[in-house]
Amino acid sequence: MHASTVLLIEIGALLFGLGMLGRAGRRFGLSPIPLYLLAGLFFGRGGLVPLSASEDFIAIGAQIGVILLLVMLGLEYSADELVGNLRSAAPAGVLDMLLNALPGALFAVLLGWDLKAALVLAGITWVSSSGVIAKVLGDLGRLGNRETPVILSVLVIEDLAMAFYLPIATAVLAGVGLLGGLSTLAVAVVTVIAVLVVAIRYGGTISRFMSVKDPEALLLSVLGLTLFVAGVAAELKVSEAVGAFLVGIALSGPVAHHATEMLSPLRDLFAAVFFVFFGLSTDPADMPPVLLPALGLAVLTMLTKVATGYLAARRAGIALPGRLRAGLALTPRGEFSVVIAGLAVASGVEPKLAPLATAYVLITVVCGPMLARLADYAWFRNLIRRRMAARRPTTKPLPSAE
Amino acid sequence: MRVRVEQTPLPGIGVRHDLVTSSGRTVGVVSHRNGRRDLVLYDVDDPDSCLASIPLTDDEAEALADVLGASLMLSQLAGLRQQAAGLLTEQIALPAGSPFVGRRLGDTRARTRTSASIVAVLRDREVIPSPGPTFQFEANDVVVAVGTRDGLDGVTAILAGDTDG
């Protein structure tokens, strides 16, 4: 058989299988991300059915997947939202970083890994999955809840912080040293701030270059601009993911709206390839030894996320049930953690990191949405109500309005 | 009374508007970027959470707004028409101590004195249209009268026995 025909057969079977998996997962209310990771493990080196001809294709597809994930994330926010939200949400963001990045870093040190690995693991445990959480909030009908803006602003801060974290991580993993790292950081900071300022002031002008009326031209120009900027950013060691994120932020108004609609199917396709690729690059034989540490880390950092949400919601004047809802909703880690782990894998740092990250993301992304649902069960609500009543024995229930 | 509508931005999703009704319930609308709206009702016990979140398409939201807004518009229009004609319709309950309980409508001489007409009487959920001068009032009757503001006030006073008939 021709290599190209084998490629078609492999890719076709893989995508079809992913589609079926995703469908089956949705029936149980499961995010497709863990299923794609598992599929990658299954087909990867050391997996049950290793793919032969399509590795290059999947590697490039995965790179495009990361870029599309981030440009879409950028498109979801306007620059005004990112910056306008900053002052009120910054304390929650700092708390989030301290409570979640530090345990990851400490855990890596505890395992005897080097500082590079600690930096990477800190990032992996820090960032919640915006995609999974937004979907869970929508599914549970909680978009109107008063704690939802608190959750969203934590996610916004995390995503913005990634624009600074990723270039640093990229630089450190590339081993550029202190001076080189500082200069990369400076380039990244200047780039990010410049793009934010340009997007706030001239977002409309940039968007006017792209016409909404011609969908084909819009698709090509937005995708082209994103890949181009991502490439330039990677060349500057700022990380292609950040470049794509910034393009997403710079586009605004109807252009952003239409671009979101058109890029969504592409993102779904290539993001799936990306998650599979990450699974592919992990040997399932490496998984069992890291399973227990991953479980411990997952339990620990899910607890710290609950604490983060709890405290952030308390600052916003939300009552106890809402604080717990906010905390439990923030627990899933997803695409960003995988992106960060992918960086580490590519640079060949600590070999156990990839299997640990895979197991960690698998655990949190499966447990997270279930934990978020916890707050809706009657027994849980009754428990909270009793706790609240016990805490304030003097307050009587208010007479009802009717 | 003006209604206070609070607006909360939802970064990445859209914006939420909510208001507290005079009955103490909180109702809100989550407007997504793509035009989808969710109608949300809040829990009385746990005001931070919504009890129900009902997704509406563009068209459904518009239809619902029409229904909710239309009754307000109609009543305003009716108010305008009343003003233009200078005529008002009012329901006046016959006071318990009215001197006309057990007497005939003609005895009130309401139309002559106020130029307002008694066009119907409501009794035990029944409508008695166009009562004649020989119609006899009973306790708990409600009189439907048409006239100017002054005329209607006059009828109210007569039925209460405030003017000497």
Side-chain angles (χ1 to χ4, degrees):
Chain A
M1 257 194 298
H2 250 277
S4 64
T5 50
V6 178
L7 178 95
L8 286 181
I9 291 169
E10 281 188 3
I11 297 286
L14 179 68
L15 293 181
F16 182 77
L18 292 182
M20 289 292 129
L21 266 181
R23 211 190 136 194
R26 218 150 283 145
R27 192 159 287 182
F28 300 103
L30 213 64
S31 152
I33 295 175
L35 300 173
Y36 296 160
L37 286 174
L38 285 177
L41 283 176
F42 186 77
F43 288 116
R45 246 166 271 136
L48 292 176
V49 189
L51 295 179
S52 58
S54 50
E55 272 190 352
D56 288 345
F57 178 87
I58 291 178
I60 293 172
Q63 208 173 2
I64 296 176
V66 173
I67 290 168
L68 285 174
L69 270 175
L70 277 126
V71 71
M72 296 285 293
L73 193 63
L75 284 171
E76 275 176 26
Y77 303 127
S78 72
D80 287 331
E81 272 176 348
L82 282 177
V83 177
N85 188 30
L86 205 57
R87 191 171 299 171
S88 59
V94 171
L95 189 80
D96 180 38
M97 181 177 76
L98 292 178
L99 279 178
N100 298 292
L102 282 183
L106 289 177
F107 202 82
V109 173
L110 214 71
L111 290 176
W113 295 356
D114 62 357
L115 286 178
K116 281 184 192 174
L119 178 72
V120 172
L121 199 58
I124 292 172
T125 57
W126 175 11
V127 201
S128 299
S129 167
S130 309
V132 173
I133 293 169
K135 181 147 193 321
V136 166
L137 290 177
D139 287 349
L140 295 180
R142 292 216 195 129
L143 291 179
N145 280 18
R146 293 224 350 248
E147 80 273 5
T148 297
V150 177
I151 299 173
L152 294 175
S153 62
V154 168
L155 295 181
V156 170
I157 294 270
E158 281 179 356
D159 293 339
L160 193 57
M162 280 302 107
F164 297 99
Y165 170 88
L166 284 177
I168 299 174
T170 314
V172 170
L173 288 173
V176 286
L178 188 65
L179 205 67
L182 281 180
S183 71
T184 311
L185 180 60
V187 169
V189 170
V190 170
T191 316
V192 171
I193 291 174
V195 167
L196 286 179
V197 169
V198 168
I200 290 173
R201 291 258 173 89
Y202 308 107
T205 320
I206 299 169
S207 303
R208 222 166 296 143
F209 276 109
M210 325 225 173
S211 167
V212 173
K213 291 197 185 101
D214 187 347
E216 188 181 325
L218 181 66
L219 174 67
L220 293 176
S221 54
V222 172
L223 186 63
L225 182 68
T226 308
L227 293 179
F228 175 76
V229 173
V232 172
E235 205 51 43
L236 291 173
K237 296 252 186 310
V238 179
S239 135
E240 64 256 44
V242 171
F245 181 58
L246 292 176
V247 171
I249 289 170
L251 296 175
S252 63
V255 168
H257 179 72
H258 283 85
T260 309
E261 268 176 20
M262 280 184 317
L263 288 179
S264 293
L266 270 184
R267 189 261 325 256
D268 293 343
L269 172 62
F270 285 105
V273 172
F274 165 67
F275 289 119
V276 170
F277 173 73
F278 188 73
L280 281 180
S281 49
T282 310
D283 190 336
D286 294 340
M287 293 280 279
V290 296
L291 218 50
L292 219 55
L295 190 65
L297 187 64
V299 170
L300 174 72
T301 56
M302 283 196 279
L303 285 175
T304 55
K305 269 292 177 194
V306 173
T308 306
Y310 182 94
L311 294 172
R314 196 176 67 176
R315 273 190 75 244
I318 307 291
L320 182 62
R323 290 178 207 166
L324 290 175
R325 276 197 300 273
L328 292 169
L330 278 171
T331 53
R333 315 297 204 279
E335 57 274 20
F336 252 129
S337 301
V338 181
V339 169
I340 295 167
L343 269 180
V345 171
S347 72
V349 76
E350 186 55 47
K352 276 191 188 147
L353 194 81
L356 181 80
T358 310
Y360 176 77
V361 170
L362 278 175
I363 295 167
T364 60
V365 86
V366 171
C367 295
M370 290 186 199
L371 284 174
R373 246 166 254 259
L374 201 66
D376 283 345
Y377 290 115
W379 61 265
F380 190 81
R381 295 167 86 152
N382 288 334
L383 194 77
I384 301 298
R385 223 161 270 172
R386 247 176 281 145
R387 293 282 314 258
M388 284 171 83
R391 205 168 283 183
R392 293 189 213 91
T394 46
T395 47
K396 284 176 193 144
L398 289 169
S400 84
E402 283 84 6
Chain B
M1 199 188 74
R2 284 276 177 86
V3 178
R4 235 179 64 140
V5 180
E6 237 173 83
Q7 181 182 329
T8 313
L10 299 174
I13 290 173
V15 64
R16 187 188 80 214
H17 289 96
D18 53 56
L19 61 95
V20 182
T21 67
S22 51
S23 61
R25 295 298 301 266
T26 312
V27 191
V29 174
V30 176
S31 311
H32 296 248
R33 292 266 174 69
N34 59 10
R36 191 184 117 182
R37 318 282 155 84
D38 293 341
L39 186 65
V40 292
L41 305 174
Y42 287 84
D43 198 336
V44 183
D45 293 333
D46 175 9
D48 297 328
S49 82
C50 46
L51 212 56
S53 162
I54 304 156
L56 300 172
T57 62
D58 256 0
D59 289 344
E60 288 158 357
E62 205 177 323
L64 191 62
D66 263 356
V67 175
L68 288 172
S71 61
L72 191 69
M73 276 163 53
L74 285 181
S75 62
Q76 279 169 351
L77 280 179
L80 282 177
R81 197 161 51 206
Q82 280 177 351
Q83 276 179 352
L87 275 181
L88 301 168
T89 308
E90 212 161 70
Q91 299 188 3
I92 305 159
L94 205 63
S98 169
F100 294 103
V101 172
R103 286 171 66 189
R104 297 188 306 169
L105 190 150
D107 295 343
T108 61
R109 299 199 296 122
R111 184 153 59 183
T112 324
R113 290 160 66 189
T114 66
S115 58
S117 299
I118 293 175
V119 295
V121 174
L122 311 178
R123 178 180 290 171
D124 296 336
R125 293 182 189 173
E126 236 182 290
V127 180
I128 302 152
S130 314
T134 55
F135 176 84
Q136 208 161 29
F137 285 118
E138 283 180 15
N140 300 325
D141 278 353
V142 174
V143 169
V144 181
V146 176
T148 59
R149 185 72 263 156
D150 288 348
L152 290 173
D153 290 344
V155 173
T156 312
I158 290 170
L159 291 177
D162 288 347
T163 53
D164 24 294

